[in-house]
């Protein structure tokens, strides 16, 4: 049992508490977490690639990508810096669409981004209608500071797993900790089990 | 408790079995109400690793849940639950070398202050340029300490006031500009390949990081930490 903080009342959120994972608070704004400057990518040079331990790698240009079936979806997102934002509306391509036809025995994925950021996610977490590459937020093109032109979106894990400025997925046989995962953050990052840091 | 300005307070924590930290890291503070309800937020460590106590500086957000509690309700002797230190990329030690370029907006100065205090504690003369952007003089943190911080050799700290400058101020005004970055001199120039740390509200960090990259700084040497929502 945590010690009571003398005189602290707290501000109970006016939202369904079962939608806020432990240790998170309800946020109406949209904070930003990134370790470096926001890249300003050039759409003409943009591509999205799936490679690594796969039979045949796949790659899409921006125009190819825009021609893929688009899904719009509304999800709750949870950042390890403690904020949760509910009912965020996105548009993008389901990972089920992108991974359709990818045959592999490997179980891990490293998502990599413009600027060198990486994060690791089990391949199974990207399937089953639970992950997307999003390029719209609230009906408008995704802004660079929120990861535009396109970011990974894996809302059932802490938001650092939803790599901004994502450019590709490399399927790996061994699990390879990414940027924050090497810097003290949890390897899997389930907000409902409060897996924030290595020791959680 | 230390009053840093009319609103901001520093909390000096005596953390049992503190294993030490690196300048730039933060702590998680968790508050628990009587019914078990909890709220936690991150706060940068303002003190250098050389100091036995751990100091936080909290600049409260109006209507905030945690920060006004920490600046107004906490009293000396109270117990707080903390976790940390946390954070890897946004850290610096004298052993990493320089030059060092620090850009802080508002309370974004806090983790940069830990770096400057660490430099002072180690009596390092590493070339260091700091530019701090605040709205008004009453928003400024650590003004006097920064004016006296040593070693003076190699250290220059500049301020810019975005809303109201103090009376008689003949220094910089307005948002950080490409020209200000240039005027920080050769240790802060891209050719010198400084280690750059930018911290503050999201808008400040986005603005400054873009200026730095446009000026030719290697994005891989620019480390950022964003405090607030956009
Ligand atoms: C790594 C890290 C280090 C930090 N270090 C410090 C520090 O050293 N000193 C410090 O004072 N704060 C620091 N912060 C910010 C701090 O964690 C809290 O977010 C802040 O104190 C507000 O918390 P609150 O509970 O009072 O407000 P909340 O109840 O969380 O927010 C109230 C309202 O204010 C808005 N808001 C929240 N933060 C800001 C902001 N920074 N600017 C403008 N609006 C905001 C929210 O969107 C919300 O609508 C840090 C944050 C991070 C992620």
């Amino acid at each position: 049992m945590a010690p009571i903080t003398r005189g602290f009342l707290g501000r109970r959120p006016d939202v369904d508490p079962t939608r806020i994972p432990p240790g998170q608070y309800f946020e109406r704004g949209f904070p930003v977490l990134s370790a470096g400057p926001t890249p300003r990518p050039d759409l003409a040079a943009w591509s999205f690639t799936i490679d690594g331990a796969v039979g045949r790698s796949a790659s899409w240009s921006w125009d190819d990508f825009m021609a893929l079936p688009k899904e719009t979806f509304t999800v709750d997102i949870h950042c390890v810096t403690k904020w949760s934002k509910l009912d965020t509306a996105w548009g993008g391509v389901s990972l089920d669409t992108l991974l359709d036809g990818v045959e592999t025995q490997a179980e891990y994925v490293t998502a990599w981004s413009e600027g060198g950021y990486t994060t690791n996610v089990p391949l199974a977490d990207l399937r089953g209608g639970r992950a997307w590459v999003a390029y719209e937020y609230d009906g408008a093109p995704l802004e660079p500071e929120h990861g535009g032109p396109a970011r990974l979106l894996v809302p059932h894990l802490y938001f650092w797993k939803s790599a901004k400025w994502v450019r590709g997925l490399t399927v790996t046989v061994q699990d390879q900790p990414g940027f924050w995962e090497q810097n003290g953050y949890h390897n899997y990052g389930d907000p409902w089990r409060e897996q924030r840091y290595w020791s959680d | 408790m230390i009053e840093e300005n009319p609103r901001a307070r520093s909390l000096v924590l005596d953390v049992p079995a503190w294993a030490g930290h690196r300048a730039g890291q933060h702590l998680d503070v968790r508050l628990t109400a009587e019914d078990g309800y909890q709220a936690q937020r991150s706060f940068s460590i303002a003190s250098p690793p050389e100091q036995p106590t751990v100091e936080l500086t909290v600049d409260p957000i109006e209507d905030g849940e945690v920060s006004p509690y920490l600046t107004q309700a906490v009293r000396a002797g109270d117990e707080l639950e903390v976790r940390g230190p946390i954070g890897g990329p946004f850290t610096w030690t004298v052993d990493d070398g320089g030059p060092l370029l620090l850009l802080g907006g508002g309370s974004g100065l806090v983790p940069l202050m830990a770096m400057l205090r660490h430099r002072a504690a180690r009596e390092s003369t590493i070339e260091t340029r700091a530019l701090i952007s605040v709205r008004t003089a009453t928003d400024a943190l650590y003004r006097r300490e920064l004016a006296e911080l040593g070693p003076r050799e190699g250290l220059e700290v500049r301020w810019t006031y975005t809303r109201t400058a103090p009376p008689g101020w003949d220094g910089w005004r307005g948002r950080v500009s490409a020209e200000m970055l240039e005027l920080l001199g050769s240790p802060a120039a891209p050719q010198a390949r400084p280690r750059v740390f930018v911290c503050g509200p999201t808008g400040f960090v986005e603005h400054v990081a873009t200026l730095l990259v446009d000026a030719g700084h290697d994005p891989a040497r620019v480390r950022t930490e964003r405090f607030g929502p956009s």
Side-chain angles (χ1 to χ4, degrees):
Chain A
M1 187 53 205
I4 305 294
T5 315
R6 185 193 57 75
F8 176 65
L9 301 173
R11 186 188 57 206
R12 310 298 187 280
D14 51 354
V15 294
D16 177 1
T18 63
R19 291 177 67 184
I20 309 289
Q24 295 291 106
Y25 71 94
F26 171 61
E27 170 69 64
R28 287 177 205 279
F30 195 163
V32 173
L33 169 72
S34 15
T38 297
R40 312 276 156 177
D42 167 15
L43 290 185
W46 188 92
S47 63
F48 186 82
T49 306
I50 297 179
D51 62 8
V54 289
R56 210 158 46 117
S57 48
S59 183
W60 295 265
S61 69
W62 183 256
D63 290 342
D64 297 340
F65 206 80
M66 291 301 111
L68 294 171
K70 177 180 158 189
E71 284 186 14
T72 54
F73 52 98
T74 299
V75 294
D76 298 347
I77 54 183
H78 310 292
C79 179
V80 73
T81 63
K82 321 288 180 312
W83 54 269
S84 287
K85 196 167 163 57
L86 306 184
D87 299 319
T88 59
W90 304 82
V93 179
S94 168
L95 256 296
D96 290 319
T97 303
L98 296 169
L99 291 169
D100 188 32
V102 169
E103 306 246 333
T104 181
Q105 302 295 315
E107 291 176 8
Y108 301 97
V109 168
T110 292
W112 60 272
S113 301
E114 193 90 34
Y117 180 81
T118 58
T119 188
N120 55 315
V121 187
L123 180 58
D125 284 77
L126 299 181
R127 296 197 197 258
R130 296 193 293 168
W132 297 264
V133 173
Y135 52 78
E136 278 180 15
Y137 174 69
D138 250 351
L142 183 60
E143 290 187 30
E145 68 190 61
H146 292 306
R151 75 179 298 162
L152 188 64
L153 211 77
V154 196
H156 69 282
L157 301 179
Y158 278 124
F159 210 42
W160 87 79
K161 295 282 186 181
S162 293
K164 293 181 195 176
W165 315 301
V166 72
R167 292 288 308 280
L169 306 177
T170 300
V171 177
T172 62
V173 174
Q174 307 268 330
D175 192 13
Q176 288 170 359
F179 180 81
W180 290 113
E181 293 84 359
Q182 290 172 39
N183 274 294
Y185 288 82
H186 197 272
N187 196 52
Y188 182 64
D190 180 352
W192 296 98
R193 286 186 278 164
E194 209 173 356
Q195 295 173 333
R196 295 180 195 277
Y197 311 120
W198 284 347
S199 54
D200 287 326
Chain B
M1 308 285 296
I2 304 166
E3 295 194 9
E4 300 289 356
N5 69 30
R7 290 177 301 119
R9 300 278 179 283
S10 289
L11 278 63
V12 184
L13 310 177
D14 186 4
V15 187
W18 180 248
H21 67 281
R22 280 176 291 149
Q25 287 186 300
H26 64 270
L27 272 186
D28 282 357
V29 176
R30 184 159 78 171
L31 309 182
T32 304
E34 278 185 29
D35 63 354
Y37 170 83
Q38 296 185 325
Q40 45 181 328
R41 298 290 186 276
S42 300
F43 292 93
S44 301
I45 301 172
S47 47
E50 291 75 13
Q51 182 177 317
T53 51
V54 176
E55 213 171 301
L56 309 179
T57 301
V58 180
D59 190 8
I61 302 289
E62 222 179 297
D63 306 327
E65 179 173 27
V66 170
S67 57
Y69 175 84
L70 294 177
T71 53
Q72 289 158 30
V74 167
R75 284 186 229 130
D78 281 352
E79 232 175 280
L80 286 176
E81 195 184 352
V82 301
R83 174 142 193 221
I86 300 154
F90 200 87
T91 59
W92 180 77
T93 86
V94 161
D95 309 310
D96 294 335
L100 189 61
L101 173 56
L102 308 177
L103 301 138
S107 54
L109 174 56
V110 176
L112 309 181
M113 194 63 190
M115 297 179 190
L116 290 168
R117 286 169 164 165
H118 164 64
R119 178 184 176 278
R122 294 276 297 268
E123 294 179 15
S124 159
T125 56
I126 284 177
E127 285 292 339
T128 302
R129 298 292 176 274
L131 171 53
I132 304 148
S133 169
V134 287
R135 277 172 301 200
T136 68
T138 47
D139 294 311
L141 299 173
Y142 321 121
R143 264 214 74 124
R144 184 170 313 142
E145 183 181 347
L146 279 169
E148 291 163 4
L149 203 66
R152 298 309 307 174
E153 197 183 334
L155 175 66
E156 261 180 49
V157 179
R158 302 281 212 111
W159 297 79
T160 181
Y161 295 92
T162 56
R163 210 164 285 167
T164 320
W169 176 251
D170 60 357
W172 292 340
R173 293 163 195 267
R175 301 176 88 190
V176 172
S177 65
E179 193 192 358
M180 290 179 198
L181 294 179
E182 220 177 296
L183 290 170
L184 290 174
S186 56
Q191 298 79 351
R193 297 185 53 72
R195 290 166 196 280
V196 192
F197 294 89
V198 189
C199 185
T202 300
F204 172 86
V205 173
E206 288 296 320
H207 170 71
V208 172
T210 304
L211 288 178
L212 289 163
V213 172
D214 288 348
H217 287 271
D218 177 358
R221 287 177 90 84
V222 179
R223 301 291 167 88
T224 60
E225 189 124 280
R226 294 158 170 90
F227 275 7
S230 55

